[in-house]
Amino acid sequence: MRHLAEAVCLKAIAIANASLAEGLDEGAAIRIAIARAERRAAARGLPIRDDR
């Protein structure tokens, strides 16, 4: 998650935490959370990657 834009990273963390609370496996929760956060950012026209 180190190369994600800050807003995407924070949303991915929130999604992953919710998935973990529902009992999803940690690895799957992280992969799904990143994908969902990236799609959310793209739909809103926000930057996905932090290109420094």
Side-chain angles (χ1 to χ4, degrees), residues 14-31:
I15 294 169
N17 285 335
S19 298
L20 289 171
E22 292 178 2
L24 197 61
D25 174 63
E26 184 176 346
I30 293 170
R31 287 189 301 275

Side-chain angles (χ1 to χ4, degrees), residues 1-9 47-52:
M1 280 203 238
R2 140 173 51 151
H3 298 292
L4 295 175
E6 183 178 1
V8 177
C9 184
I48 295 172
R49 301 283 174 192
D50 186 18
D51 299 324
R52 291 185 191 186

Side-chain angles (χ1 to χ4, degrees), residues 28-46:
I30 293 170
R31 287 189 301 275
I32 291 168
I34 291 172
R36 286 184 183 170
E38 286 177 340
R39 276 186 298 197
R40 181 181 180 275
R44 288 167 173 72
L46 299 173

